[in-house]
mmCIF file of all heavy atoms in Angstrom:
data_model
loop_
_atom_site.group_PDB
_atom_site.id
_atom_site.type_symbol
_atom_site.label_atom_id
_atom_site.label_comp_id
_atom_site.label_asym_id
_atom_site.label_seq_id
_atom_site.Cartn_x
_atom_site.Cartn_y
_atom_site.Cartn_z
ATOM 1 N N GLU A 48 0.854 -1.176 0.000
ATOM 2 C CA GLU A 48 0.000 0.000 0.000
ATOM 3 C C GLU A 48 0.896 1.234 0.000
ATOM 4 O O GLU A 48 1.851 1.322 0.767
ATOM 5 C CB GLU A 48 -0.879 -0.037 1.254
ATOM 6 C CG GLU A 48 -1.746 1.169 1.492
ATOM 7 C CD GLU A 48 -2.469 1.084 2.830
ATOM 8 O OE1 GLU A 48 -2.322 0.059 3.541
ATOM 9 O OE2 GLU A 48 -3.166 2.059 3.173
ATOM 10 N N VAL A 49 0.592 2.196 -0.861
ATOM 11 C CA VAL A 49 1.360 3.443 -0.940
ATOM 12 C C VAL A 49 0.529 4.562 -0.325
ATOM 13 O O VAL A 49 -0.649 4.733 -0.647
ATOM 14 C CB VAL A 49 1.720 3.789 -2.398
ATOM 15 C CG1 VAL A 49 2.430 5.146 -2.471
ATOM 16 C CG2 VAL A 49 2.595 2.697 -3.005
ATOM 17 N N VAL A 50 1.165 5.328 0.579
ATOM 18 C CA VAL A 50 0.484 6.434 1.262
ATOM 19 C C VAL A 50 1.375 7.668 1.170
ATOM 20 O O VAL A 50 2.590 7.585 1.316
ATOM 21 C CB VAL A 50 0.202 6.092 2.738
ATOM 22 C CG1 VAL A 50 -0.514 7.247 3.431
ATOM 23 C CG2 VAL A 50 -0.618 4.806 2.854
ATOM 24 N N GLU A 51 0.774 8.806 0.956
ATOM 25 C CA GLU A 51 1.541 10.036 0.775
ATOM 26 C C GLU A 51 2.249 10.458 2.061
ATOM 27 O O GLU A 51 1.671 10.464 3.147
ATOM 28 C CB GLU A 51 0.621 11.161 0.311
ATOM 29 C CG GLU A 51 1.357 12.463 0.015
ATOM 30 C CD GLU A 51 0.442 13.543 -0.522
ATOM 31 O OE1 GLU A 51 -0.777 13.295 -0.631
ATOM 32 O OE2 GLU A 51 0.946 14.637 -0.830
ATOM 33 N N MET A 52 3.521 10.818 1.938
ATOM 34 C CA MET A 52 4.296 11.398 3.028
ATOM 35 C C MET A 52 5.569 12.002 2.468
ATOM 36 O O MET A 52 6.232 11.399 1.627
ATOM 37 C CB MET A 52 4.663 10.359 4.092
ATOM 38 C CG MET A 52 5.288 10.972 5.344
ATOM 39 S SD MET A 52 6.019 9.744 6.461
ATOM 40 C CE MET A 52 7.624 9.492 5.658
ATOM 41 N N ASP A 53 5.910 13.204 2.943
ATOM 42 C CA ASP A 53 7.160 13.856 2.576
ATOM 43 C C ASP A 53 8.030 13.916 3.825
ATOM 44 O O ASP A 53 7.707 14.610 4.790
ATOM 45 C CB ASP A 53 6.874 15.266 2.048
ATOM 46 C CG ASP A 53 8.123 15.960 1.516
ATOM 47 O OD1 ASP A 53 9.228 15.420 1.716
ATOM 48 O OD2 ASP A 53 7.985 17.032 0.905
ATOM 49 N N LEU A 54 9.129 13.184 3.814
ATOM 50 C CA LEU A 54 9.937 12.981 5.006
ATOM 51 C C LEU A 54 10.502 14.277 5.578
ATOM 52 O O LEU A 54 10.717 14.375 6.793
ATOM 53 C CB LEU A 54 11.084 12.014 4.683
ATOM 54 C CG LEU A 54 11.884 11.420 5.844
ATOM 55 C CD1 LEU A 54 10.981 10.658 6.813
ATOM 56 C CD2 LEU A 54 12.974 10.507 5.301
ATOM 57 N N ILE A 55 10.727 15.275 4.750
ATOM 58 C CA ILE A 55 11.325 16.507 5.252
ATOM 59 C C ILE A 55 10.277 17.504 5.746
ATOM 60 O O ILE A 55 10.618 18.546 6.325
ATOM 61 C CB ILE A 55 12.225 17.168 4.173
ATOM 62 C CG1 ILE A 55 13.237 18.113 4.845
ATOM 63 C CG2 ILE A 55 11.393 17.884 3.128
ATOM 64 C CD1 ILE A 55 14.317 18.618 3.917
ATOM 65 N N ASP A 56 9.010 17.195 5.561
ATOM 66 C CA ASP A 56 7.913 18.074 5.974
ATOM 67 C C ASP A 56 7.321 17.554 7.279
ATOM 68 O O ASP A 56 6.635 16.530 7.299
ATOM 69 C CB ASP A 56 6.844 18.101 4.879
ATOM 70 C CG ASP A 56 5.671 19.003 5.213
ATOM 71 O OD1 ASP A 56 5.585 19.496 6.365
ATOM 72 O OD2 ASP A 56 4.811 19.201 4.337
ATOM 73 N N PRO A 57 7.557 18.235 8.413
ATOM 74 C CA PRO A 57 7.072 17.729 9.704
ATOM 75 C C PRO A 57 5.565 17.479 9.735
ATOM 76 O O PRO A 57 5.112 16.478 10.306
ATOM 77 C CB PRO A 57 7.465 18.839 10.692
ATOM 78 C CG PRO A 57 8.644 19.495 10.063
ATOM 79 C CD PRO A 57 8.368 19.458 8.588
ATOM 80 N N ALA A 58 4.783 18.339 9.106
ATOM 81 C CA ALA A 58 3.330 18.164 9.117
ATOM 82 C C ALA A 58 2.935 16.911 8.343
ATOM 83 O O ALA A 58 2.043 16.164 8.766
ATOM 84 C CB ALA A 58 2.645 19.390 8.525
ATOM 85 N N SER A 59 3.591 16.673 7.216
ATOM 86 C CA SER A 59 3.292 15.495 6.415
ATOM 87 C C SER A 59 3.623 14.213 7.177
ATOM 88 O O SER A 59 2.850 13.247 7.159
ATOM 89 C CB SER A 59 4.090 15.546 5.103
ATOM 90 O OG SER A 59 3.880 14.390 4.327
ATOM 91 N N VAL A 60 4.771 14.203 7.854
ATOM 92 C CA VAL A 60 5.156 13.037 8.658
ATOM 93 C C VAL A 60 4.152 12.807 9.772
ATOM 94 O O VAL A 60 3.723 11.670 10.027
ATOM 95 C CB VAL A 60 6.577 13.235 9.225
ATOM 96 C CG1 VAL A 60 6.921 12.112 10.196
ATOM 97 C CG2 VAL A 60 7.603 13.294 8.097
ATOM 98 N N ARG A 61 3.766 13.864 10.445
ATOM 99 C CA ARG A 61 2.823 13.737 11.563
ATOM 100 C C ARG A 61 1.484 13.188 11.086
ATOM 101 O O ARG A 61 0.908 12.287 11.722
ATOM 102 C CB ARG A 61 2.629 15.097 12.232
ATOM 103 C CG ARG A 61 1.586 15.095 13.357
ATOM 104 C CD ARG A 61 1.442 16.473 13.989
ATOM 105 N NE ARG A 61 1.162 17.503 13.006
ATOM 106 C CZ ARG A 61 -0.042 17.723 12.465
ATOM 107 N NH1 ARG A 61 -1.075 16.955 12.802
ATOM 108 N NH2 ARG A 61 -0.209 18.682 11.583
ATOM 109 N N ILE A 62 0.975 13.713 9.982
ATOM 110 C CA ILE A 62 -0.327 13.257 9.473
ATOM 111 C C ILE A 62 -0.269 11.773 9.109
ATOM 112 O O ILE A 62 -1.161 10.991 9.476
ATOM 113 C CB ILE A 62 -0.744 14.103 8.258
ATOM 114 C CG1 ILE A 62 -1.094 15.526 8.717
ATOM 115 C CG2 ILE A 62 -1.931 13.469 7.533
ATOM 116 C CD1 ILE A 62 -1.261 16.502 7.570
ATOM 117 N N PHE A 63 0.778 11.366 8.390
ATOM 118 C CA PHE A 63 0.911 9.957 8.024
ATOM 119 C C PHE A 63 0.944 9.070 9.259
ATOM 120 O O PHE A 63 0.209 8.077 9.358
ATOM 121 C CB PHE A 63 2.188 9.740 7.200
ATOM 122 C CG PHE A 63 2.554 8.291 7.023
ATOM 123 C CD1 PHE A 63 1.975 7.526 6.029
ATOM 124 C CD2 PHE A 63 3.458 7.678 7.894
ATOM 125 C CE1 PHE A 63 2.294 6.183 5.889
ATOM 126 C CE2 PHE A 63 3.790 6.336 7.756
ATOM 127 C CZ PHE A 63 3.197 5.584 6.756
ATOM 128 N N ALA A 64 1.800 9.412 10.219
ATOM 129 C CA ALA A 64 1.986 8.550 11.385
ATOM 130 C C ALA A 64 0.754 8.547 12.283
ATOM 131 O O ALA A 64 0.358 7.489 12.791
ATOM 132 C CB ALA A 64 3.217 9.001 12.163
ATOM 133 N N GLU A 65 0.160 9.684 12.489
ATOM 134 C CA GLU A 65 -1.034 9.744 13.348
ATOM 135 C C GLU A 65 -2.194 8.965 12.745
ATOM 136 O O GLU A 65 -2.969 8.335 13.476
ATOM 137 C CB GLU A 65 -1.421 11.195 13.604
ATOM 138 C CG GLU A 65 -0.468 11.916 14.554
ATOM 139 C CD GLU A 65 -0.911 13.337 14.884
ATOM 140 O OE1 GLU A 65 -1.837 13.838 14.191
ATOM 141 O OE2 GLU A 65 -0.330 13.934 15.802
ATOM 142 N N ARG A 66 -2.324 9.005 11.436
ATOM 143 C CA ARG A 66 -3.388 8.233 10.789
ATOM 144 C C ARG A 66 -3.176 6.741 10.973
ATOM 145 O O ARG A 66 -4.133 5.991 11.196
ATOM 146 C CB ARG A 66 -3.469 8.589 9.301
ATOM 147 C CG ARG A 66 -4.129 9.935 9.032
ATOM 148 C CD ARG A 66 -4.142 10.273 7.549
ATOM 149 N NE ARG A 66 -4.866 11.514 7.293
ATOM 150 C CZ ARG A 66 -4.874 12.158 6.136
ATOM 151 N NH1 ARG A 66 -4.194 11.640 5.105
ATOM 152 N NH2 ARG A 66 -5.554 13.271 5.993
ATOM 153 N N PHE A 67 -1.921 6.309 10.894
ATOM 154 C CA PHE A 67 -1.661 4.889 11.115
ATOM 155 C C PHE A 67 -1.959 4.515 12.559
ATOM 156 O O PHE A 67 -2.622 3.500 12.825
ATOM 157 C CB PHE A 67 -0.214 4.532 10.774
ATOM 158 C CG PHE A 67 0.076 3.067 10.959
ATOM 159 C CD1 PHE A 67 -0.183 2.165 9.942
ATOM 160 C CD2 PHE A 67 0.546 2.579 12.170
ATOM 161 C CE1 PHE A 67 0.038 0.807 10.123
ATOM 162 C CE2 PHE A 67 0.775 1.227 12.358
ATOM 163 C CZ PHE A 67 0.519 0.327 11.335
ATOM 164 N N VAL A 68 -1.501 5.299 13.496
ATOM 165 C CA VAL A 68 -1.736 5.008 14.911
ATOM 166 C C VAL A 68 -3.239 4.972 15.204
ATOM 167 O O VAL A 68 -3.715 4.130 15.975
ATOM 168 C CB VAL A 68 -1.023 6.045 15.802
ATOM 169 C CG1 VAL A 68 -1.441 5.899 17.257
ATOM 170 C CG2 VAL A 68 0.494 5.897 15.678
ATOM 171 N N ALA A 69 -3.990 5.853 14.567
ATOM 172 C CA ALA A 69 -5.436 5.925 14.809
ATOM 173 C C ALA A 69 -6.170 4.666 14.371
ATOM 174 O O ALA A 69 -7.278 4.391 14.862
ATOM 175 C CB ALA A 69 -6.017 7.137 14.093
ATOM 176 N N THR A 70 -5.571 3.869 13.487
ATOM 177 C CA THR A 70 -6.225 2.625 13.071
ATOM 178 C C THR A 70 -6.219 1.584 14.187
ATOM 179 O O THR A 70 -6.978 0.615 14.142
ATOM 180 C CB THR A 70 -5.533 2.018 11.834
ATOM 181 O OG1 THR A 70 -4.211 1.567 12.193
ATOM 182 C CG2 THR A 70 -5.444 3.024 10.701
ATOM 183 N N GLY A 71 -5.341 1.757 15.165
ATOM 184 C CA GLY A 71 -5.226 0.791 16.252
ATOM 185 C C GLY A 71 -4.457 -0.456 15.880
ATOM 186 O O GLY A 71 -4.373 -1.406 16.672
ATOM 187 N N ALA A 72 -3.858 -0.465 14.687
ATOM 188 C CA ALA A 72 -3.107 -1.646 14.238
ATOM 189 C C ALA A 72 -1.703 -1.639 14.827
ATOM 190 O O ALA A 72 -1.089 -0.579 14.980
ATOM 191 C CB ALA A 72 -3.030 -1.669 12.717
ATOM 192 N N PRO A 73 -1.175 -2.801 15.165
ATOM 193 C CA PRO A 73 0.226 -2.869 15.605
ATOM 194 C C PRO A 73 1.172 -2.721 14.425
ATOM 195 O O PRO A 73 0.837 -3.090 13.296
ATOM 196 C CB PRO A 73 0.324 -4.260 16.220
ATOM 197 C CG PRO A 73 -0.704 -5.070 15.494
ATOM 198 C CD PRO A 73 -1.834 -4.128 15.184
ATOM 199 N N LEU A 74 2.350 -2.192 14.684
ATOM 200 C CA LEU A 74 3.389 -2.085 13.669
ATOM 201 C C LEU A 74 4.533 -2.995 14.077
ATOM 202 O O LEU A 74 5.200 -2.767 15.085
ATOM 203 C CB LEU A 74 3.876 -0.631 13.552
ATOM 204 C CG LEU A 74 5.008 -0.380 12.548
ATOM 205 C CD1 LEU A 74 4.592 -0.794 11.139
ATOM 206 C CD2 LEU A 74 5.423 1.088 12.577
ATOM 207 N N HIS A 75 4.763 -4.037 13.292
ATOM 208 C CA HIS A 75 5.745 -5.054 13.654
ATOM 209 C C HIS A 75 7.154 -4.727 13.179
ATOM 210 O O HIS A 75 8.127 -5.090 13.850
ATOM 211 C CB HIS A 75 5.305 -6.416 13.088
ATOM 212 C CG HIS A 75 3.953 -6.840 13.547
ATOM 213 N ND1 HIS A 75 2.801 -6.522 12.857
ATOM 214 C CD2 HIS A 75 3.555 -7.527 14.653
ATOM 215 C CE1 HIS A 75 1.752 -7.007 13.498
ATOM 216 N NE2 HIS A 75 2.183 -7.629 14.582
ATOM 217 N N LEU A 76 7.256 -4.072 12.029
ATOM 218 C CA LEU A 76 8.565 -3.717 11.486
ATOM 219 C C LEU A 76 8.520 -2.304 10.921
ATOM 220 O O LEU A 76 7.604 -1.974 10.154
ATOM 221 C CB LEU A 76 8.971 -4.676 10.366
ATOM 222 C CG LEU A 76 9.521 -6.050 10.727
ATOM 223 C CD1 LEU A 76 9.668 -6.893 9.464
ATOM 224 C CD2 LEU A 76 10.866 -5.918 11.424
ATOM 225 N N LEU A 77 9.491 -1.505 11.298
ATOM 226 C CA LEU A 77 9.652 -0.168 10.732
ATOM 227 C C LEU A 77 11.048 -0.105 10.129
ATOM 228 O O LEU A 77 12.046 -0.195 10.854
ATOM 229 C CB LEU A 77 9.481 0.903 11.813
ATOM 230 C CG LEU A 77 9.748 2.354 11.389
ATOM 231 C CD1 LEU A 77 8.822 2.774 10.248
ATOM 232 C CD2 LEU A 77 9.586 3.288 12.588
ATOM 233 N N ILE A 78 11.117 0.023 8.812
ATOM 234 C CA ILE A 78 12.394 0.038 8.116
ATOM 235 C C ILE A 78 12.603 1.427 7.517
ATOM 236 O O ILE A 78 11.832 1.868 6.654
ATOM 237 C CB ILE A 78 12.451 -1.059 7.042
ATOM 238 C CG1 ILE A 78 12.327 -2.432 7.727
ATOM 239 C CG2 ILE A 78 13.752 -0.971 6.242
ATOM 240 C CD1 ILE A 78 12.325 -3.601 6.791
ATOM 241 N N LEU A 79 13.633 2.100 7.992
ATOM 242 C CA LEU A 79 13.899 3.493 7.622
ATOM 243 C C LEU A 79 14.991 3.512 6.564
ATOM 244 O O LEU A 79 16.169 3.641 6.858
ATOM 245 C CB LEU A 79 14.291 4.282 8.870
ATOM 246 C CG LEU A 79 13.277 4.172 10.028
ATOM 247 C CD1 LEU A 79 13.771 4.910 11.259
ATOM 248 C CD2 LEU A 79 11.892 4.667 9.605
ATOM 249 N N SER A 80 14.563 3.372 5.314
ATOM 250 C CA SER A 80 15.484 3.174 4.201
ATOM 251 C C SER A 80 15.647 4.420 3.341
ATOM 252 O O SER A 80 16.582 4.498 2.544
ATOM 253 C CB SER A 80 14.995 2.008 3.327
ATOM 254 O OG SER A 80 15.915 1.676 2.329
ATOM 255 N N ALA A 81 14.762 5.393 3.490
ATOM 256 C CA ALA A 81 14.823 6.591 2.651
ATOM 257 C C ALA A 81 16.031 7.440 3.021
ATOM 258 O O ALA A 81 16.498 7.423 4.161
ATOM 259 C CB ALA A 81 13.544 7.413 2.793
ATOM 260 N N GLY A 82 16.511 8.195 2.058
ATOM 261 C CA GLY A 82 17.615 9.096 2.353
ATOM 262 C C GLY A 82 18.054 9.865 1.127
ATOM 263 O O GLY A 82 17.666 9.552 -0.011
ATOM 264 N N ILE A 83 18.860 10.888 1.368
ATOM 265 C CA ILE A 83 19.470 11.652 0.294
ATOM 266 C C ILE A 83 20.969 11.708 0.561
ATOM 267 O O ILE A 83 21.408 11.550 1.708
ATOM 268 C CB ILE A 83 18.884 13.066 0.175
ATOM 269 C CG1 ILE A 83 19.002 13.811 1.523
ATOM 270 C CG2 ILE A 83 17.445 13.010 -0.290
ATOM 271 C CD1 ILE A 83 18.563 15.254 1.448
ATOM 272 N N MET A 84 21.761 11.931 -0.493
ATOM 273 C CA MET A 84 23.206 11.904 -0.342
ATOM 274 C C MET A 84 23.870 13.024 -1.146
ATOM 275 O O MET A 84 23.631 13.150 -2.352
ATOM 276 C CB MET A 84 23.769 10.558 -0.804
ATOM 277 C CG MET A 84 25.265 10.393 -0.582
ATOM 278 S SD MET A 84 25.893 8.770 -1.069
ATOM 279 C CE MET A 84 25.960 8.953 -2.855
ATOM 280 N N THR A 85 24.633 13.831 -0.479
ATOM 281 C CA THR A 85 25.520 14.862 -1.020
ATOM 282 C C THR A 85 24.877 15.823 -2.016
ATOM 283 O O THR A 85 25.463 16.121 -3.063
ATOM 284 C CB THR A 85 26.781 14.233 -1.642
ATOM 285 O OG1 THR A 85 26.431 13.420 -2.777
ATOM 286 C CG2 THR A 85 27.548 13.403 -0.628
ATOM 287 N N PRO A 86 23.676 16.353 -1.707
ATOM 288 C CA PRO A 86 23.130 17.398 -2.578
ATOM 289 C C PRO A 86 23.797 18.742 -2.266
ATOM 290 O O PRO A 86 24.473 18.891 -1.239
ATOM 291 C CB PRO A 86 21.654 17.432 -2.182
ATOM 292 C CG PRO A 86 21.681 17.110 -0.716
ATOM 293 C CD PRO A 86 22.785 16.075 -0.569
ATOM 294 N N PRO A 87 23.595 19.734 -3.119
ATOM 295 C CA PRO A 87 23.995 21.093 -2.736
ATOM 296 C C PRO A 87 23.254 21.506 -1.455
ATOM 297 O O PRO A 87 22.200 20.962 -1.138
ATOM 298 C CB PRO A 87 23.547 21.940 -3.928
ATOM 299 C CG PRO A 87 23.425 20.977 -5.072
ATOM 300 C CD PRO A 87 23.001 19.674 -4.458
ATOM 301 N N LEU A 88 23.795 22.465 -0.750
ATOM 302 C CA LEU A 88 23.197 22.897 0.512
ATOM 303 C C LEU A 88 21.751 23.340 0.325
ATOM 304 O O LEU A 88 21.434 24.139 -0.559
ATOM 305 C CB LEU A 88 24.002 24.055 1.110
ATOM 306 C CG LEU A 88 23.416 24.681 2.383
ATOM 307 C CD1 LEU A 88 23.362 23.675 3.527
ATOM 308 C CD2 LEU A 88 24.228 25.911 2.789
#
């Protein structure tokens, strides 16, 4: 399942995570694989 979230936007992260928590479902694995490397400042 794909759900919208922008990792650098605090509001977007909060909305995604709070919606998941609100379902009452357990989360068994959280894999933090996203990232960026050596962009301009």
Side-chain angles (χ1 to χ4, degrees):
E48 175 186 358
V49 176
V50 180
E51 184 177 2
M52 189 191 82
D53 186 351
L54 193 58
I55 202 170
D56 181 351
S59 177
V60 173
R61 176 180 54 79
I62 290 169
F63 168 83
E65 288 184 348
R66 284 178 176 169
F67 181 86
V68 171
T70 68
L74 178 59
H75 303 90
L76 281 172
L77 175 59
I78 298 178
L79 306 177
S80 187
I83 55 175
M84 185 177 77
T85 64
L88 175 63

